[in-house]
Amino acid sequence: MSDLRTKYLGLDLKSPLLASASPLSESVDHIKRLEDHQIAGVVLPSLFEEQLEIESMSLDYDLARGAESFPESANFFPDLQTYNLGPDGYLELIRHAKESVGIPIIASLNGISDGGWLQYAKLMEQAGADAIELNIYSITTDPAVSSSEVEQNYIDLVRHLKRSIRIPLAVKLSPFFSAPANMGVRFDEARANGIVLFNRFYQPDFDIDELEVVPSLALSRPEELSMRLHWTALMYGHVQADLGITGGVHSAKDVLKCVLAGAKVAFMTSALLRNGVHHAAHVLSEMNRWLDEHEYTSIQQMCGSMSHGAVADPTAFERGNYMKVLSSYTLKANVFND
């Protein structure tokens, strides 16, 4: 049997298959089940910047005006005080999980501004988190805000957070930059220990009967993986930070593709929600079979062997591939039949 062990963010992992943030990691019992089914590490659901700011504002108002006071701004958000157990419950989840399982526990912060809420990362570290994933979810709606401003805010955010903690920091990168590879290099220069490609932005839907904008959440599909493979393969070799892929990872072949592109780890959630957590053990079994058949002794042997700098024809990652794809499609014979 091949050796599936790898290292991510300085953490020793028994395989490259991790569980990304989801309801599957919101309780210790769930995390235990993930470990039982051979998941190598978990990312906890995110704590949100708004959640932590509301907590801080609520305390300030309570001290100043009495327990009945509460900042009006909190009404614009869902019940963030109880989401993910609330800030205090989140720290307890980290502590309890570290006492109960042997796999790494990666805490998650979700926000966009360089503010006091980042101090909470230190509390996560003190609670025992092995690392922190910074999930930068920004929707810039003001046309006056330039892309360079948005990008610099992200870099400042990472630099600030790195100064406040000693544990590793991974940054979850958005796919909507003009130059994702450049942003990866800049996060690397800001001393991020890992870069995860890509954040899945959940866009709202329209209810055309009620004329309302409503939340919409769809599980990932395997077709989403291609974009992540592309940019991981381009970024590999240009950053020192470990690369991870999340979104579209559903099968053993998907995980293997991630590693071939240059990722140290692949995060899976949607496939586990659809198929059950036992699916993870099946994926790892199929990975072992493939590695044995192709005479690999370890998963690390193949890391990055299909990256931009390693393949015989690097134009496959460039504009030439765009033209090849368009010319490869063949119309079906009956497409114009009535």
mmCIF file of all heavy atoms in Angstrom, residues 161-195:
data_model
loop_
_atom_site.group_PDB
_atom_site.id
_atom_site.type_symbol
_atom_site.label_atom_id
_atom_site.label_comp_id
_atom_site.label_asym_id
_atom_site.label_seq_id
_atom_site.Cartn_x
_atom_site.Cartn_y
_atom_site.Cartn_z
ATOM 1 N N LEU A 161 -2.947 39.887 10.844
ATOM 2 C CA LEU A 161 -3.267 38.624 11.506
ATOM 3 C C LEU A 161 -1.999 37.814 11.790
ATOM 4 O O LEU A 161 -1.859 37.211 12.855
ATOM 5 C CB LEU A 161 -4.239 37.821 10.634
ATOM 6 C CG LEU A 161 -4.880 36.576 11.256
ATOM 7 C CD1 LEU A 161 -5.462 36.884 12.621
ATOM 8 C CD2 LEU A 161 -5.958 36.033 10.330
ATOM 9 N N LYS A 162 -1.061 37.806 10.861
ATOM 10 C CA LYS A 162 0.179 37.074 11.069
ATOM 11 C C LYS A 162 0.974 37.629 12.246
ATOM 12 O O LYS A 162 1.674 36.877 12.948
ATOM 13 C CB LYS A 162 1.037 37.120 9.796
ATOM 14 C CG LYS A 162 0.650 36.115 8.746
ATOM 15 C CD LYS A 162 0.879 34.671 9.227
ATOM 16 C CE LYS A 162 2.362 34.373 9.418
ATOM 17 N NZ LYS A 162 2.577 32.973 9.863
ATOM 18 N N ARG A 163 0.872 38.950 12.476
ATOM 19 C CA ARG A 163 1.598 39.554 13.603
ATOM 20 C C ARG A 163 1.014 39.152 14.952
ATOM 21 O O ARG A 163 1.701 39.233 15.969
ATOM 22 C CB ARG A 163 1.596 41.075 13.473
ATOM 23 C CG ARG A 163 2.521 41.622 12.390
ATOM 24 C CD ARG A 163 2.776 43.123 12.595
ATOM 25 N NE ARG A 163 1.552 43.896 12.491
ATOM 26 C CZ ARG A 163 1.107 44.464 11.376
ATOM 27 N NH1 ARG A 163 1.809 44.331 10.251
ATOM 28 N NH2 ARG A 163 0.002 45.172 11.365
ATOM 29 N N SER A 164 -0.248 38.732 14.966
ATOM 30 C CA SER A 164 -0.920 38.489 16.243
ATOM 31 C C SER A 164 -0.925 37.020 16.672
ATOM 32 O O SER A 164 -1.289 36.715 17.805
ATOM 33 C CB SER A 164 -2.364 39.002 16.181
ATOM 34 O OG SER A 164 -3.128 38.250 15.258
ATOM 35 N N ILE A 165 -0.533 36.108 15.791
ATOM 36 C CA ILE A 165 -0.581 34.677 16.129
ATOM 37 C C ILE A 165 0.752 34.004 15.802
ATOM 38 O O ILE A 165 1.529 34.491 14.986
ATOM 39 C CB ILE A 165 -1.713 33.941 15.388
ATOM 40 C CG1 ILE A 165 -1.551 34.077 13.866
ATOM 41 C CG2 ILE A 165 -3.079 34.453 15.848
ATOM 42 C CD1 ILE A 165 -2.542 33.253 13.066
ATOM 43 N N ARG A 166 0.972 32.857 16.451
ATOM 44 C CA ARG A 166 2.170 32.064 16.182
ATOM 45 C C ARG A 166 1.849 30.795 15.403
ATOM 46 O O ARG A 166 2.746 30.171 14.850
ATOM 47 C CB ARG A 166 2.865 31.716 17.500
ATOM 48 C CG ARG A 166 3.502 32.920 18.204
ATOM 49 C CD ARG A 166 4.071 32.535 19.548
ATOM 50 N NE ARG A 166 2.992 32.158 20.477
ATOM 51 C CZ ARG A 166 3.194 31.727 21.721
ATOM 52 N NH1 ARG A 166 4.436 31.611 22.180
ATOM 53 N NH2 ARG A 166 2.181 31.431 22.506
ATOM 54 N N ILE A 167 0.590 30.393 15.388
ATOM 55 C CA ILE A 167 0.207 29.194 14.647
ATOM 56 C C ILE A 167 0.092 29.522 13.157
ATOM 57 O O ILE A 167 -0.019 30.690 12.779
ATOM 58 C CB ILE A 167 -1.123 28.601 15.177
ATOM 59 C CG1 ILE A 167 -2.237 29.647 15.130
ATOM 60 C CG2 ILE A 167 -0.942 28.068 16.586
ATOM 61 C CD1 ILE A 167 -3.597 29.082 15.543
ATOM 62 N N PRO A 168 0.114 28.513 12.289
ATOM 63 C CA PRO A 168 0.060 28.766 10.843
ATOM 64 C C PRO A 168 -1.247 29.412 10.404
ATOM 65 O O PRO A 168 -2.300 29.210 11.017
ATOM 66 C CB PRO A 168 0.206 27.361 10.233
ATOM 67 C CG PRO A 168 0.828 26.532 11.308
ATOM 68 C CD PRO A 168 0.317 27.077 12.598
ATOM 69 N N LEU A 169 -1.157 30.185 9.317
ATOM 70 C CA LEU A 169 -2.315 30.868 8.749
ATOM 71 C C LEU A 169 -2.452 30.500 7.272
ATOM 72 O O LEU A 169 -1.500 30.639 6.497
ATOM 73 C CB LEU A 169 -2.159 32.384 8.877
ATOM 74 C CG LEU A 169 -3.222 33.233 8.168
ATOM 75 C CD1 LEU A 169 -4.577 33.073 8.855
ATOM 76 C CD2 LEU A 169 -2.806 34.699 8.120
ATOM 77 N N ALA A 170 -3.624 30.035 6.892
ATOM 78 C CA ALA A 170 -3.950 29.806 5.487
ATOM 79 C C ALA A 170 -4.947 30.868 5.046
ATOM 80 O O ALA A 170 -5.796 31.302 5.828
ATOM 81 C CB ALA A 170 -4.542 28.414 5.286
ATOM 82 N N VAL A 171 -4.841 31.296 3.796
ATOM 83 C CA VAL A 171 -5.753 32.293 3.243
ATOM 84 C C VAL A 171 -6.573 31.631 2.143
ATOM 85 O O VAL A 171 -6.018 31.021 1.227
ATOM 86 C CB VAL A 171 -4.992 33.498 2.664
ATOM 87 C CG1 VAL A 171 -5.966 34.503 2.069
ATOM 88 C CG2 VAL A 171 -4.136 34.149 3.737
ATOM 89 N N LYS A 172 -7.880 31.770 2.230
ATOM 90 C CA LYS A 172 -8.764 31.239 1.204
ATOM 91 C C LYS A 172 -8.951 32.309 0.138
ATOM 92 O O LYS A 172 -9.531 33.360 0.390
ATOM 93 C CB LYS A 172 -10.114 30.848 1.830
ATOM 94 C CG LYS A 172 -10.821 29.707 1.136
ATOM 95 C CD LYS A 172 -11.966 29.221 1.995
ATOM 96 C CE LYS A 172 -12.612 27.968 1.412
ATOM 97 N NZ LYS A 172 -13.713 27.490 2.272
ATOM 98 N N LEU A 173 -8.443 32.035 -1.039
ATOM 99 C CA LEU A 173 -8.376 33.025 -2.108
ATOM 100 C C LEU A 173 -9.632 32.988 -2.974
ATOM 101 O O LEU A 173 -10.146 31.929 -3.294
ATOM 102 C CB LEU A 173 -7.136 32.743 -2.965
ATOM 103 C CG LEU A 173 -6.819 33.697 -4.107
ATOM 104 C CD1 LEU A 173 -6.499 35.079 -3.571
ATOM 105 C CD2 LEU A 173 -5.627 33.165 -4.903
ATOM 106 N N SER A 174 -10.099 34.185 -3.378
ATOM 107 C CA SER A 174 -11.241 34.300 -4.279
ATOM 108 C C SER A 174 -10.797 34.067 -5.717
ATOM 109 O O SER A 174 -9.676 34.423 -6.090
ATOM 110 C CB SER A 174 -11.859 35.692 -4.147
ATOM 111 O OG SER A 174 -12.655 35.997 -5.275
ATOM 112 N N PRO A 175 -11.659 33.510 -6.587
ATOM 113 C CA PRO A 175 -11.309 33.338 -7.997
ATOM 114 C C PRO A 175 -11.544 34.586 -8.834
ATOM 115 O O PRO A 175 -11.261 34.575 -10.030
ATOM 116 C CB PRO A 175 -12.256 32.218 -8.445
ATOM 117 C CG PRO A 175 -13.469 32.398 -7.599
ATOM 118 C CD PRO A 175 -12.955 32.888 -6.258
ATOM 119 N N PHE A 176 -12.047 35.663 -8.220
ATOM 120 C CA PHE A 176 -12.499 36.807 -8.997
ATOM 121 C C PHE A 176 -11.486 37.942 -9.097
ATOM 122 O O PHE A 176 -11.846 39.092 -9.311
ATOM 123 C CB PHE A 176 -13.823 37.325 -8.434
ATOM 124 C CG PHE A 176 -14.920 36.304 -8.474
ATOM 125 C CD1 PHE A 176 -15.620 35.954 -7.328
ATOM 126 C CD2 PHE A 176 -15.240 35.669 -9.657
ATOM 127 C CE1 PHE A 176 -16.624 35.000 -7.370
ATOM 128 C CE2 PHE A 176 -16.245 34.704 -9.706
ATOM 129 C CZ PHE A 176 -16.937 34.371 -8.560
ATOM 130 N N PHE A 177 -10.219 37.633 -8.943
ATOM 131 C CA PHE A 177 -9.178 38.624 -9.172
ATOM 132 C C PHE A 177 -8.774 38.607 -10.639
ATOM 133 O O PHE A 177 -8.859 37.576 -11.309
ATOM 134 C CB PHE A 177 -7.948 38.326 -8.308
ATOM 135 C CG PHE A 177 -8.157 38.556 -6.842
ATOM 136 C CD1 PHE A 177 -8.358 37.492 -5.982
ATOM 137 C CD2 PHE A 177 -8.152 39.836 -6.317
ATOM 138 C CE1 PHE A 177 -8.562 37.691 -4.627
ATOM 139 C CE2 PHE A 177 -8.343 40.052 -4.965
ATOM 140 C CZ PHE A 177 -8.548 38.981 -4.120
ATOM 141 N N SER A 178 -8.309 39.739 -11.127
ATOM 142 C CA SER A 178 -7.805 39.784 -12.502
ATOM 143 C C SER A 178 -6.557 38.921 -12.655
ATOM 144 O O SER A 178 -6.328 38.326 -13.709
ATOM 145 C CB SER A 178 -7.464 41.229 -12.903
ATOM 146 O OG SER A 178 -8.614 42.038 -12.865
ATOM 147 N N ALA A 179 -5.761 38.847 -11.594
ATOM 148 C CA ALA A 179 -4.515 38.077 -11.636
ATOM 149 C C ALA A 179 -4.395 37.245 -10.355
ATOM 150 O O ALA A 179 -3.665 37.622 -9.428
ATOM 151 C CB ALA A 179 -3.325 39.010 -11.794
ATOM 152 N N PRO A 180 -5.091 36.105 -10.282
ATOM 153 C CA PRO A 180 -5.043 35.282 -9.068
ATOM 154 C C PRO A 180 -3.633 34.836 -8.694
ATOM 155 O O PRO A 180 -3.302 34.761 -7.509
ATOM 156 C CB PRO A 180 -5.923 34.082 -9.427
ATOM 157 C CG PRO A 180 -6.838 34.579 -10.488
ATOM 158 C CD PRO A 180 -6.033 35.557 -11.275
ATOM 159 N N ALA A 181 -2.804 34.523 -9.695
ATOM 160 C CA ALA A 181 -1.447 34.072 -9.393
ATOM 161 C C ALA A 181 -0.651 35.179 -8.697
ATOM 162 O O ALA A 181 0.117 34.919 -7.767
ATOM 163 C CB ALA A 181 -0.740 33.629 -10.665
ATOM 164 N N ASN A 182 -0.839 36.415 -9.132
ATOM 165 C CA ASN A 182 -0.164 37.539 -8.497
ATOM 166 C C ASN A 182 -0.623 37.714 -7.063
ATOM 167 O O ASN A 182 0.184 37.980 -6.165
ATOM 168 C CB ASN A 182 -0.413 38.826 -9.286
ATOM 169 C CG ASN A 182 0.178 40.052 -8.611
ATOM 170 O OD1 ASN A 182 -0.530 40.796 -7.930
ATOM 171 N ND2 ASN A 182 1.474 40.257 -8.774
ATOM 172 N N MET A 183 -1.927 37.555 -6.817
ATOM 173 C CA MET A 183 -2.433 37.658 -5.447
ATOM 174 C C MET A 183 -1.855 36.546 -4.588
ATOM 175 O O MET A 183 -1.535 36.756 -3.408
ATOM 176 C CB MET A 183 -3.960 37.602 -5.437
ATOM 177 C CG MET A 183 -4.635 38.885 -5.877
ATOM 178 S SD MET A 183 -4.145 40.342 -4.901
ATOM 179 C CE MET A 183 -4.739 39.906 -3.263
ATOM 180 N N GLY A 184 -1.695 35.364 -5.164
ATOM 181 C CA GLY A 184 -1.074 34.278 -4.422
ATOM 182 C C GLY A 184 0.342 34.627 -4.004
ATOM 183 O O GLY A 184 0.752 34.387 -2.853
ATOM 184 N N VAL A 185 1.109 35.224 -4.898
ATOM 185 C CA VAL A 185 2.480 35.641 -4.588
ATOM 186 C C VAL A 185 2.477 36.721 -3.507
ATOM 187 O O VAL A 185 3.306 36.707 -2.590
ATOM 188 C CB VAL A 185 3.186 36.146 -5.867
ATOM 189 C CG1 VAL A 185 4.509 36.823 -5.518
ATOM 190 C CG2 VAL A 185 3.419 34.992 -6.834
ATOM 191 N N ARG A 186 1.529 37.650 -3.589
ATOM 192 C CA ARG A 186 1.473 38.730 -2.596
ATOM 193 C C ARG A 186 1.085 38.205 -1.210
ATOM 194 O O ARG A 186 1.621 38.665 -0.195
ATOM 195 C CB ARG A 186 0.500 39.823 -3.058
ATOM 196 C CG ARG A 186 0.995 40.562 -4.295
ATOM 197 C CD ARG A 186 -0.031 41.562 -4.802
ATOM 198 N NE ARG A 186 -0.228 42.661 -3.855
ATOM 199 C CZ ARG A 186 -1.160 43.592 -4.000
ATOM 200 N NH1 ARG A 186 -1.984 43.552 -5.044
ATOM 201 N NH2 ARG A 186 -1.285 44.562 -3.110
ATOM 202 N N PHE A 187 0.161 37.246 -1.158
ATOM 203 C CA PHE A 187 -0.161 36.623 0.129
ATOM 204 C C PHE A 187 1.051 35.867 0.667
ATOM 205 O O PHE A 187 1.301 35.849 1.875
ATOM 206 C CB PHE A 187 -1.347 35.666 -0.023
ATOM 207 C CG PHE A 187 -2.684 36.352 -0.073
ATOM 208 C CD1 PHE A 187 -3.599 36.054 -1.071
ATOM 209 C CD2 PHE A 187 -3.046 37.282 0.884
ATOM 210 C CE1 PHE A 187 -4.836 36.677 -1.117
ATOM 211 C CE2 PHE A 187 -4.284 37.918 0.854
ATOM 212 C CZ PHE A 187 -5.177 37.611 -0.160
ATOM 213 N N ASP A 188 1.789 35.247 -0.229
ATOM 214 C CA ASP A 188 3.000 34.536 0.165
ATOM 215 C C ASP A 188 4.011 35.517 0.756
ATOM 216 O O ASP A 188 4.636 35.241 1.784
ATOM 217 C CB ASP A 188 3.587 33.832 -1.065
ATOM 218 C CG ASP A 188 4.699 32.863 -0.713
ATOM 219 O OD1 ASP A 188 4.497 32.013 0.182
ATOM 220 O OD2 ASP A 188 5.778 32.952 -1.325
ATOM 221 N N GLU A 189 4.161 36.670 0.124
ATOM 222 C CA GLU A 189 5.073 37.695 0.630
ATOM 223 C C GLU A 189 4.598 38.258 1.967
ATOM 224 O O GLU A 189 5.414 38.715 2.783
ATOM 225 C CB GLU A 189 5.210 38.817 -0.399
ATOM 226 C CG GLU A 189 5.943 38.385 -1.670
ATOM 227 C CD GLU A 189 5.888 39.438 -2.764
ATOM 228 O OE1 GLU A 189 5.069 40.390 -2.629
ATOM 229 O OE2 GLU A 189 6.648 39.322 -3.739
ATOM 230 N N ALA A 190 3.283 38.216 2.195
ATOM 231 C CA ALA A 190 2.725 38.656 3.480
ATOM 232 C C ALA A 190 2.850 37.576 4.551
ATOM 233 O O ALA A 190 2.336 37.725 5.649
ATOM 234 C CB ALA A 190 1.264 39.061 3.315
ATOM 235 N N ARG A 191 3.524 36.470 4.186
ATOM 236 C CA ARG A 191 3.877 35.386 5.097
ATOM 237 C C ARG A 191 2.728 34.453 5.429
ATOM 238 O O ARG A 191 2.726 33.785 6.473
ATOM 239 C CB ARG A 191 4.544 35.921 6.370
ATOM 240 C CG ARG A 191 5.768 36.792 6.092
ATOM 241 C CD ARG A 191 6.454 37.232 7.371
ATOM 242 N NE ARG A 191 7.043 36.116 8.086
ATOM 243 C CZ ARG A 191 8.211 35.562 7.787
ATOM 244 N NH1 ARG A 191 8.928 36.030 6.776
ATOM 245 N NH2 ARG A 191 8.688 34.570 8.502
ATOM 246 N N ALA A 192 1.742 34.374 4.544
ATOM 247 C CA ALA A 192 0.717 33.341 4.701
ATOM 248 C C ALA A 192 1.389 31.975 4.552
ATOM 249 O O ALA A 192 2.242 31.776 3.684
ATOM 250 C CB ALA A 192 -0.373 33.505 3.655
ATOM 251 N N ASN A 193 0.991 31.034 5.396
ATOM 252 C CA ASN A 193 1.587 29.697 5.348
ATOM 253 C C ASN A 193 0.905 28.789 4.329
ATOM 254 O O ASN A 193 1.485 27.790 3.891
ATOM 255 C CB ASN A 193 1.506 29.041 6.727
ATOM 256 C CG ASN A 193 2.169 29.876 7.798
ATOM 257 O OD1 ASN A 193 1.488 30.612 8.517
ATOM 258 N ND2 ASN A 193 3.485 29.785 7.919
ATOM 259 N N GLY A 194 -0.323 29.141 3.977
ATOM 260 C CA GLY A 194 -1.064 28.339 3.017
ATOM 261 C C GLY A 194 -1.999 29.209 2.199
ATOM 262 O O GLY A 194 -2.423 30.281 2.643
ATOM 263 N N ILE A 195 -2.311 28.744 0.991
ATOM 264 C CA ILE A 195 -3.261 29.427 0.115
ATOM 265 C C ILE A 195 -4.244 28.382 -0.384
ATOM 266 O O ILE A 195 -3.833 27.354 -0.946
ATOM 267 C CB ILE A 195 -2.553 30.105 -1.073
ATOM 268 C CG1 ILE A 195 -1.558 31.156 -0.568
ATOM 269 C CG2 ILE A 195 -3.569 30.754 -2.010
ATOM 270 C CD1 ILE A 195 -0.653 31.715 -1.644
#
